[in-house]
Amino acid sequence: MGYTLAVLGCGTMGVAILSGVLSSLEARLSAPLSQRSQSEDIEPPSGISTPTASQFLEAPEESLPSRFIATVGREESGRKLKKTFESLGRFGGDVEVRAGKGNVETVKEADVILVCSKPNIARSILSEEGMAEAIKGKLVISICAGVTISQLVSWVPESTTVVRAMPNTPCKIREGMTVVTPLSDALSRTLILNIFTSCGRCRFLEEKYFDACTALAGSGPAFVALVLEAMTDGGVMMGLPRVEALELAAQTMQGTGRMALYAGLHPAQLKDSVTTPGGCTIAGLLTLEDGRVRSTMARAIQVATNHAAGLGQETKK
């Protein structure tokens, strides 16, 4: 029998994470028993975890969530959320959705609490009347951008284990990237890895890197989507139908990323391997350099990082 996972303030990212977890649970259920054998460590020495469903296939039952509760602020949001989960397969309909002021009761029933609210209201949620007693001795995972460990620790009892996590929206299709602050408790590490490797990759990093991680991985999908749209528009301009242009651009982007991840190739190597003397690639690259695409993208990460640092500040009254 597994544990109860509660998602407080279940918005876009809460849905993305739960979608990945539910999909992996379904894959685990349908996999042959022969595949559920211990074949490798949960976390390789590099600190990066296995980004596949094998994590769930190999994990013992007690280290996986078996009950899910999601909370939202409004009844209307609750109805929409319920429909969203019901469309996610056999486990989606089992997610309990609670609207209104049900956070304290939800935390009482939960073993692991995922805080997915807007950063500037995280404190009000964790400071609700009765929350201190309800949350004692439990594992709290905050994905609130800009909310520091020191802030979180000051809002919960000393016996509560607190970590920060920064996932991104591709978690919804199990291609996400999540960064988590380190912790020493082995069981908590296992639970966290089981949650986030069901959604993609997971790496433990010190908190000092989190604002940059927020910009690069959290905001990154929007930056990549802008480039993807631009490449598609270029194909359309040169006569390709839009559907095919998007397919070519998206698969090219995905394939290039996988070559960097799995083949270990540096981006410069990937670029140079395509660039032949006097060819069309170098002509296009020089145009991109003229447009300062490289420095503009790097500056976008810089600006987003600086902005992320202020997201955890409370709204002034």
Side-chain angles (χ1 to χ4, degrees):
M1 190 67 180
Y3 64 88
T4 298
L5 174 64
V7 182
L8 307 185
C10 190
T12 300
M13 279 312 309
V15 171
I17 294 167
L18 278 181
S19 297
V21 174
L22 294 171
S23 294
S24 287
L25 283 172
E26 188 164 348
R28 174 187 171 89
L29 190 64
S30 59
L33 290 174
S34 59
Q35 291 185 23
R36 303 184 190 182
S37 59
Q38 299 291 337
S39 59
E40 58 185 351
D41 294 335
I42 282 180
E43 185 188 3
S46 66
I48 199 161
S49 56
T50 308
T52 67
S54 64
Q55 182 78 35
F56 258 60
L57 293 177
E58 299 167 2
E61 293 284 348
E62 60 270 18
S63 69
L64 301 176
S66 59
R67 183 188 177 198
F68 303 90
I69 310 173
T71 71
V72 290
R74 298 182 302 164
E75 292 288 344
E76 181 182 357
S77 299
R79 288 192 291 270
K80 291 180 179 179
L81 190 60
K82 187 65 177 175
K83 289 182 179 178
T84 298
F85 286 131
E86 287 174 348
S87 68
L88 295 179
R90 68 176 78 181
F91 290 105
D94 294 334
V95 177
E96 301 171 44
V97 177
R98 299 177 181 178
K101 298 182 178 180
N103 290 325
V104 174
E105 288 302 315
T106 296
V107 170
K108 285 180 181 179
E109 299 174 34
D111 303 294
V112 178
I113 297 93
L114 190 60
V115 183
C116 300
S117 66
K118 292 181 179 179
N120 59 355
I121 64 171
R123 181 175 184 176
S124 63
I125 290 177
L126 294 175
S127 301
E128 288 183 23
E129 185 178 354
M131 183 63 79
E133 185 64 30
I135 211 167
K136 278 184 180 179
K138 297 183 178 181
L139 172 62
V140 175
I141 306 167
S142 168
I143 69 166
C144 302
V147 178
T148 65
I149 289 289
S150 61
Q151 286 176 297
L152 293 164
V153 167
S154 70
W155 301 337
V156 298
E158 188 177 348
S159 62
T160 303
T161 301
V162 175
V163 296
R164 284 183 67 183
M166 176 47 59
N168 60 11
T169 50
C171 285
K172 189 172 184 179
I173 60 166
R174 298 163 69 187
E175 289 287 352
M177 181 70 234
T178 303
V179 177
V180 184
T181 50
L183 71 170
S184 57
D185 180 65
L187 176 59
S188 295
R189 285 172 64 89
T190 300
L191 294 178
I192 289 169
L193 285 173
N194 284 343
I195 290 172
F196 291 114
T197 55
S198 73
C199 309
R201 289 178 174 261
C202 180
R203 178 181 281 275
F204 288 96
L205 278 177
E206 297 293 335
E207 187 179 25
K208 63 183 179 181
Y209 300 115
F210 261 59
D211 291 334
C213 292
T214 300
L216 189 56
S219 301
F223 304 154
V224 172
L226 186 67
V227 175
L228 175 59
E229 184 180 31
M231 290 176 65
T232 302
D233 285 346
V236 172
M237 182 177 69
M238 299 314 298
L240 284 173
R242 181 162 292 277
V243 172
E244 284 76 7
L246 176 58
E247 181 183 15
L248 266 65
Q251 181 59 37
T252 298
M253 190 172 288
Q254 176 178 259
T256 305
R258 286 182 175 274
M259 289 179 73
L261 281 175
Y262 298 109
L265 297 176
H266 189 279
Q269 290 178 283
L270 292 169
K271 173 178 65 68
D272 290 348
S273 69
V274 185
T275 308
T276 55
C280 59
T281 303
I282 189 62
L285 285 170
L286 288 177
T287 301
L288 292 174
E289 296 290 4
D290 289 342
R292 301 177 64 183
V293 170
R294 185 198 302 259
S295 62
T296 299
M297 183 62 76
R299 291 295 185 189
I301 301 298
Q302 180 186 36
V303 170
T305 298
N306 293 336
H307 188 77
L311 291 179
Q313 303 303 313
E314 296 178 68
T315 303
K316 293 182 179 180
K317 297 181 179 179

